[in-house]
Amino acid sequence: MDTTQKFSRTTIVLHWLVAASIIGLIALGIYMVETESWHLYDIHKSIGLLVFVAILARLAWRWRNGLPQPVRPMSRLEHLTAMAAHVVLLILTVVLPLTGMLYSGASGHGFGIFGWEIFPSHHRSDHAIPLSVQWSDLGQTMHGFLGYLLLTLIVLHAAAALKHHLIDKDATLKRMLGRPPEST
């Protein structure tokens, strides 16, 4: 279990696995859209679905352990802001892949993991037949918007961790890096 001074190995591994994977998938997603690299979509979707399993495991683990407790006393506003940020980050990590699945499924492209079809594609000749243009458009819009929103919150989250480390000089970042607190 997690404590105010130390996170479990499970917490640390799930945090960094999900964080690195999501950052990589967002970067890949931006690259795909900007360069129209359609051949990378199956890789993006496959990795995204695998990461979704880790996201669900992290969500279950967080549910069991609760939100991280501060390593030092802080103002009510700072504590509420930190709690809200953690909750929104968790929600977005779940909702972002769901909107991607909605987009891909409703657009007729389907999705799966490296050739193993989970939701079938619907093609005629050489193009996909949308199941619902409205749901596809909603999924696409939300997936893009939430991806940028999540990226913004990740940057703010990292900035907050650096603030704790460099300005507050507390053990918040060290705890997530698995480093023991300094003895007093």
Side-chain angles (χ1 to χ4, degrees):
M1 295 294 285
D2 297 335
T3 69
T4 58
Q5 296 303 311
K6 187 175 190 295
F7 281 147
S8 67
R9 184 172 305 278
T10 301
T11 295
I12 294 168
V13 168
L14 285 173
H15 173 272
W16 291 111
L17 173 66
V18 169
S21 299
I22 286 178
I23 291 167
L25 284 166
I26 290 173
L28 179 58
I30 292 169
Y31 175 81
M32 290 183 323
V33 170
E34 294 297 319
T35 64
E36 298 182 357
S37 299
W38 314 130
H39 65 283
L40 296 174
Y41 273 76
D42 284 337
I43 293 169
H44 179 81
K45 291 187 283 188
S46 295
I47 294 171
L49 287 167
L50 291 172
V51 172
F52 190 58
V53 173
I55 289 167
L56 294 177
R58 183 167 187 262
L59 184 65
W61 184 254
R62 218 3 96 217
W63 183 269
R64 179 177 176 220
N65 283 286
L67 292 174
Q69 294 302 307
V71 298
R72 62 167 174 78
M74 54 178 56
S75 73
R76 179 170 167 75
L77 177 62
E78 190 177 11
H79 183 66
L80 289 174
T81 302
M83 286 178 41
H86 282 103
V87 168
V88 172
L89 283 166
L90 285 168
I91 290 169
L92 286 177
T93 61
V94 172
V95 175
L96 185 62
L98 291 174
T99 60
M101 288 182 252
L102 174 63
Y103 168 40
S104 193
S107 70
H109 289 96
F111 53 85
I113 300 172
F114 299 111
W116 176 51
E117 197 171 66
I118 294 172
F119 189 87
S121 60
H122 298 276
H123 284 87
R124 181 174 297 137
S125 300
D126 62 344
H127 67 281
I129 307 297
L131 299 176
S132 169
V133 172
Q134 292 83 8
W135 284 108
S136 173
D137 289 348
L138 177 65
Q140 181 182 25
T141 300
M142 294 305 296
H143 194 64
F145 172 76
L146 294 177
Y148 282 110
L149 178 60
L150 182 55
L151 183 58
T152 300
L153 290 176
I154 289 169
V155 169
L156 291 172
H157 183 65
L162 289 173
K163 177 230 177 230
H164 277 283
H165 188 70
L166 299 172
I167 296 171
D168 299 337
K169 300 197 184 305
D170 65 29
T172 300
L173 181 59
K174 288 180 181 179
R175 179 173 63 170
M176 187 49 76
L177 293 173
R179 294 187 185 156
E182 297 166 0
S183 52
T184 56

